[in-house]
Amino acid sequence: MNRLFGGGKNKGPSATNLQAQKSKQVESLRKVGAIEILRDVEYRVVLPQGGINITIFINLPVQFPSEKPVITVQPAVTHSWVDAQMKVVGCPNINNFTMHSDLGLAVQAIMEEFKKNPPTCVPQHYILGSNNPTIESSVPAMNGPQQHVPTYANLSPYPIVPDANQVQQQPGLSTNPPPLPPRRVMSDGGQDPSPVTIPAFSMPNIMSEFPALKDMKLMELQELVEDDNQITEMIQKIPDLVNFAQQRENLSAACVQLARLNLAKKPDIEQLRESVNEKNAELEKLKCEFETGSEKHMALSDQYHPANIQTNLKVAVMEADEESESIAESFLNQEMNIDEFMKKFMEKRTLCHLRRAKEEKLNHIIISRGFQY
């Protein structure tokens, strides 16, 4: 039959069987709790272990399951099955993977190994490189004979306060707190106020401030001590006290003016807050639209990739070839007349050769332009 009707003499492996095997492997992944990231390309499994979540990424190549999958883990860990690029290289099920292996059982074996021998999470500052000499010098050697525990005494951003014994032993240290900076207040409450420094208040000299006391007799002094009103009147006439009261009034007026300015800005602040909330809502909406568009773009990009189109063309060629052979078998079994056979057979053979020509042309384009999946 193949010699008579010129079809399917050197047919390769069926693409339909390859897709069926891939679907079977993907179904086995779902049984172990794998989450689909990109259909028939990338999956992940989250494994809680030791207070952290270890994510196992399963990447399926184009020729999967003819080619074995690539499995990586995140975050960075140290384990006998994982290399420096976080790729699982020690699992026998993955290293000996074939088309008839069970990918779900292989991933299950990796999960069981991680549960039996939990991997150690690599600290973040060990991954950042060697820009910080303190961190670089504190990293313990992983393979060398001299291993040491890193010290972090010099990494604290806070000053170390010595205790009392250390202060007594070191006369250069002082326990007195540093002086506070001078307080500044608003002088006029305008848009661009100039700062005013409050001077320190000092006790006046009694004899210079009250010269009349020198000439008073003992009885007059005794009467003055018993007259609170006269003492109060004398104290209120002190220039420093008068200046202090005036500064207090100025500060009070400045505080009131500043409070009024703050209250006057409340409507503007509320309006700006509403504007920010509207912008945040718009941002969330645009973010959702962008994520939806990105997912649609990725799906269409995967669907119309030259490699996928070529695979579909190969499958279509095989389907047309099988249908033409089925028509020929029906004709030989005298299930149709010659006219009906010629019409249907020529249509299927023409479709088969047309699809094969398109597939060969697309393959030439892929090779010449270097498309990669």
Side-chain angles (χ1 to χ4, degrees), residues 210-370:
F210 306 101
L213 296 177
K214 298 179 181 179
D215 300 331
M216 287 187 177
K217 297 180 181 179
L218 183 60
M219 293 297 296
E220 295 175 345
L221 292 175
Q222 185 65 32
E223 293 177 358
L224 179 61
V225 170
E226 296 176 356
D227 190 354
D228 294 338
N229 294 331
Q230 188 176 359
I231 293 177
T232 302
E233 183 179 357
M234 293 176 60
I235 292 176
Q236 290 179 350
K237 294 180 180 180
I238 299 176
D240 291 341
L241 186 59
V242 173
N243 293 335
F244 181 80
Q246 184 63 34
Q247 291 178 1
R248 184 185 62 184
E249 294 295 331
N250 294 339
L251 290 176
S252 177
C255 290
V256 172
Q257 182 66 20
L258 182 61
R260 290 175 179 174
L261 289 175
N262 292 337
L263 293 176
K265 293 182 179 298
K266 183 177 180 180
D268 296 337
I269 295 175
E270 293 294 337
Q271 184 178 0
L272 291 175
R273 181 181 290 115
E274 293 178 0
S275 177
V276 170
N277 293 335
E278 293 176 358
K279 295 294 183 182
N280 286 334
E282 184 179 359
L283 175 63
E284 291 297 330
K285 181 181 178 181
L286 293 176
K287 183 179 179 181
C288 294
E289 293 178 356
F290 173 76
E291 292 177 353
T292 304
S294 297
E295 293 177 358
K296 184 178 180 180
H297 170 72
M298 291 298 296
L300 292 177
S301 177
D302 180 67
Q303 180 180 357
Y304 293 104
H305 193 276
N308 288 337
I309 296 176
Q310 185 183 21
T311 302
N312 293 334
L313 280 175
K314 288 182 179 180
V315 175
V317 169
M318 294 180 182
E319 291 177 353
D321 192 19
E322 291 176 356
E323 290 177 0
S324 64
E325 290 185 0
S326 177
I327 293 172
E329 290 289 345
S330 299
F331 173 71
L332 293 178
N333 294 331
Q334 299 181 356
E335 296 178 358
M336 64 177 63
N337 55 32
I338 185 66
D339 295 333
E340 184 181 1
F341 163 72
M342 289 299 296
K343 180 180 178 181
K344 293 183 177 180
F345 183 78
M346 291 303 294
E347 289 179 355
K348 293 299 179 183
R349 294 309 300 173
T350 301
L351 181 61
C352 177
H353 288 293
L354 182 60
R355 290 175 176 176
R356 181 176 286 110
K358 291 181 179 179
E359 188 273 330
E360 292 175 356
K361 180 63 176 178
L362 181 59
N363 184 55
H364 176 71
I365 295 175
I366 291 175
I367 295 175
S368 61
R369 298 187 180 181

Side-chain angles (χ1 to χ4, degrees), residues 153-172:
N154 297 327
L155 299 180
S156 175
Y158 304 102
I160 300 176
V161 180
D163 55 15
N165 296 329
Q166 292 177 343
V167 173
Q168 292 177 1
Q169 294 174 2
Q170 301 179 9

